[in-house]
């Protein structure tokens, strides 16, 4: 298992991040943050199944703040 979850402070920011990743050809899916990680986020995260390091780089380059990453079983 590798890091594949990006957690955000708001669902709006998570949706904006998803859109920016899509424009850059990185697939991500908006999901509910797993219950054991919810105290670290708003309850929504992006699941990135491949190109995780590229996704984080794109978000940083575009000024999208995220509050953490985690490794979860891909759905």
């Amino acid at each position: 298992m590798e890091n594949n979850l990006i957690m955000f402070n708001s669902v709006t920011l998570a949706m904006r991040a998803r859109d920016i990743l899509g424009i850059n050809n990185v697939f991500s899916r908006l999901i509910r943050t797993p219950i054991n990680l919810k105290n670290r986020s708003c309850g929504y995260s992006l699941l990135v199944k491949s190109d995780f390091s590229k996704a984080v780089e794109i978000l940083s380059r575009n000024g999208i703040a995220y509050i953490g990453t985690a490794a979860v079983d891909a759905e």
Side-chain angles (χ1 to χ4, degrees), residues 56-74:
V56 170
E57 178 185 323
I58 290 167
L59 296 180
S60 295
R61 190 172 60 230
N62 284 278
I64 303 295
Y66 56 92
I67 59 172
T69 62
V72 296
D73 290 328

Side-chain angles (χ1 to χ4, degrees), residues 13 19 46 55:
L13 194 54
D19 294 344
L46 289 182

